[in-house]
Every structure is written in C-alpha cells, then in structure tokens.
Amino acid sequence: MHIEPGVVDGAKMALSYATGAASLAIAAKLAYDTIREDGGVPGLVLRSVAATLAVFIFFELLPHFAVGISDVHFILGTTLLLILGAGPAAIGLIAGRAIQGILFAPSDLPMYAVNVTTLIMPLWAIHELSRRMIPDGTAYVDLKYLDVLKLSLVYQGGIIAWVAFWALYGQGFGAENLTAVLSFGAAYLLVVVLEPLADLAVLWVAKHLPRSSWTPHRLHGAA
C-alpha cells in the first residue's frame, strides 16, 4: 500500500500532517509500553530493527501490483504485531516505509504522512482489539485461524478505509475515482484471506523455537 503523490495535495495536505503527527504519537506510546512492560529498551531496539527489516522486505521485495488508486502490498501487519509486539511493529512500519521511500521512491516522500497514517492507525486498532479479544492466558502461538482472521480483517479493512478516505478527500466523488477506490478495495480482499495463513505459518514456527528473552511475553504466554 502506498498512495501516489497528487492524490492529496495543496492545502488538503494539512490534515495529513495532523494525522501523521498523531500516528507518531501513538507509535511513541506503544514503544514506551514495550519498554515498561515487555523487554525494556534492549527488547524494543532488537525487535524494532527486525520489524524495520521485515517491512522493507514486505514493501520492496514481496510481489505487489498497482490496482486503482494505490498499490496492493502484503504488509503483514498482524504478523508483526503478534511476533514482535505493537511498539516494534509501529516503529518498523514507520522506519521501513521511510527507508523504502528514501532509497527507492523519493518521489513518494511528500505523501509520507498520508501513508504512515494509513499504516499506523489500523495497527493501533488491532492492538486494542487483541487486548480485548484474546484472553490474558492465551499465548499468541496458540491462536487459531479465526482469531488471526479477525485481526487481519480489522487491519486490512483499516488500510482500505484509510486509502478510500484519502482518495475521496483528495479527489472527490467522481465516477472514475469511485471506480478506482472500489477496485483497490476488491483486490485487497485477497490479502485479507491470505494474510492469516502467513500469520499461522509464522506462529507455528515460533511455537517450535525456544523461548527468547527478546520476544514479546505474549508470544509464548506465561513461563
């Protein structure tokens, strides 16, 4: 997912700066929670580096294709959240997207606040959902397809909603723009189906690896 330059421009960019700043504040809060509750500074740094590398790979190396108003990527936001935790996942999305833009798509940098908002707000949503939906005693490695499907639906649904919002906010409700929005949303439904399978595959691998001091405590549950 990335929204092309020009979709939102001019005075309308002011809103993206506000939502981008809010997204950075959310990421900072999630990072602080990680330091305080789940691994301290070393855990946050190690997992954030891993998340940044993963996000760069997701955006630059995994298959992606342009549909309608944006590109369809396998972002694997729920995978990052479940394996690395919300704070590192947020930092990884922010830093990985910046590195990808600087090195390979500098023309996209004016849209950085738009794209960061679109990535971080849904991540925050599934973080809050996971805290309410998954019982405290349940390790993430024991989650079922339906569990991760719910998280994926919320995350990818959030991506679709934000992309649609930016497109309609920036370009209006003309027939051509609406068609582009709908075609993007339809294509992204494939990601909603496939991402939980990737989540479960990664969680299965994690389940059979030794518990590590730098992984989130919820990954394997209580010792």
Side-chain angles (χ1 to χ4, degrees), residues 39-218:
V41 172
L44 175 67
V45 172
L46 285 171
R47 282 184 262 156
S48 296
V49 170
T52 300
L53 178 61
V55 169
F56 178 80
I57 292 171
F58 297 162
F59 273 99
E60 194 61 33
L61 300 181
L62 290 185
H64 56 277
F65 45 94
V67 178
I69 55 171
S70 186
D71 286 357
V72 174
H73 288 268
F74 292 97
I75 303 172
L76 303 178
T78 54
T79 307
L80 294 173
L81 175 77
L82 295 172
I83 297 297
L84 299 173
I91 292 173
L93 287 168
I94 291 169
R97 187 69 186 88
I99 293 170
Q100 191 261 351
I102 292 169
L103 295 181
F104 294 97
S107 62
D108 289 347
L109 290 177
M111 302 297 288
Y112 183 71
V114 169
N115 289 316
V116 162
T117 300
T118 306
L119 293 170
I120 296 300
M121 292 300 185
L123 181 75
W124 184 35
I126 62 170
H127 170 63
E128 294 298 323
L129 175 63
S130 68
R131 294 172 62 189
R132 291 163 174 75
M133 183 185 79
I134 302 171
D136 289 340
T138 301
Y140 286 165
V141 293
D142 294 326
L143 294 179
K144 307 303 182 185
Y145 178 83
L146 186 59
D147 298 319
V148 293
L149 177 62
K150 291 176 183 177
L151 295 175
S152 184
L153 282 170
V154 172
Y155 187 73
Q156 304 301 343
I159 295 287
I160 293 170
W162 274 103
V163 169
F165 168 77
W166 291 121
L168 298 174
Y169 171 70
Q171 300 296 312
F173 290 82
E176 183 177 350
N177 195 41
L178 285 174
T179 299
V181 170
L182 291 173
S183 62
F184 171 81
Y188 233 99
L189 291 177
L190 285 174
V191 178
V192 176
V193 175
L194 294 175
E195 187 178 71
L197 299 177
D199 295 338
L200 290 174
V202 174
L203 289 172
W204 183 88
V205 172
K207 187 172 185 175
H208 292 82
L209 292 176
R211 183 189 300 267
S212 170
S213 60
W214 64 268
T215 56
H217 70 272
R218 286 299 305 273

